[in-house]
Amino acid sequence: MAVTLADGLAQGSDGRCRCWWPGGDPLYRAYHDTEWGRPVADDVRLFEKICLEGFQSGLSWLTILRKRENFRAAFAGFRPAAIAGFGADDVARCLADSGIVRHRGKIESVVNNARRALDLAEEAGSIAAFVWRFEPPPESRPARMDRGAIVPQTEHSLALSKALRKRGWSFVGPTTMHAFMQAVGIVNDHLEGCFCRAEAEAERRAFVRPA
């Protein structure tokens, strides 16, 4: 059980203050504490996150998080080179898999995006090198990150969305890309007062941006 405090913070049963959104669910809280907002440079993890954010559209992230291992099993660990070879039988297999979200458009999008990811890696050197180009400059960030500063999209997520769409990606709208950027540490949207904010910022300072 989490106790709601001011400015979008909540105090968990462990006594720590964190962002309100994981509530008291242990899996969600662990995701918030150890993953969300921490910088990521691994292409497989980045591709996975783009795909899962696409699946999340219209659903809660907790729903996707609970099914994440099933998604990984269905989609070859989200390795783009493996998924790029998927055919109609693989799509049918995924549509029959009750452990994931069975949405044909989103499943076919993963296959399409895997092929586009290989092209992007060839163009930019890596997926990481490409997406980190869209990191906002510090002066564009809110002076104080409280709940009122949380927005559904930004000019930077819109730019990333446009760049990916131009290259043939799907299910990469600006709101989805903003959630992606938050999750992989391209921005640090942990709230002021959340114990993770300083940890994530320290990791971002030490992080070597991919080139």
Side-chain angles (χ1 to χ4, degrees), residues 36 49 53 56 152 157 174-184:
W36 195 79
K49 200 69 178 70
E53 291 291 353
Q56 185 270 334
S157 72
T175 299
T176 298
M177 288 301 93
H178 183 50
F180 163 76
M181 293 168 82
Q182 291 173 309
V184 301

Side-chain angles (χ1 to χ4, degrees), residues 39-187:
V40 177
D42 179 81
D43 274 8
V44 171
R45 284 192 60 201
L46 291 169
F47 181 71
E48 173 185 287
K49 200 69 178 70
I50 291 173
C51 294
L52 292 182
E53 291 291 353
F55 272 106
Q56 185 270 334
S57 180
L59 302 169
S60 74
W61 176 248
L62 183 56
T63 296
I64 302 302
L65 191 59
R66 287 171 172 162
K67 296 175 179 287
R68 182 162 63 172
E69 291 305 322
N70 297 332
F71 277 110
R72 287 170 173 168
F75 289 104
F78 286 101
R79 291 175 291 114
I83 301 170
F86 277 19
D89 289 347
D90 295 291
V91 172
R93 170 180 55 78
C94 291
L95 283 168
D97 188 342
S98 61
I100 67 170
V101 175
R102 294 181 287 182
H103 183 293
R104 178 179 290 275
K106 294 177 181 180
I107 291 168
E108 290 178 342
S109 174
V110 172
V111 180
N112 169 74
N113 289 350
R115 294 166 182 165
R116 304 291 77 76
L118 297 180
D119 294 338
L120 186 65
E122 184 174 349
E123 172 195 341
S126 66
I127 298 171
F130 184 82
V131 300
W132 275 93
R133 293 176 189 172
F134 296 86
E135 180 182 12
E139 61 270 18
S140 73
R141 299 287 293 147
R144 176 178 172 80
M145 184 54 66
D146 56 23
R147 191 165 183 173
I150 300 295
V151 294
Q153 60 181 264
T154 66
E155 62 179 297
H156 306 284
S157 72
L158 177 60
L160 175 57
S161 172
K162 286 182 175 179
L164 291 175
R165 284 172 163 172
K166 181 180 179 181
R167 289 162 174 80
W169 293 61
S170 55
F171 282 92
V172 288
T175 299
T176 298
M177 288 301 93
H178 183 50
F180 163 76
M181 293 168 82
Q182 291 173 309
V184 301
I186 295 176
V187 296

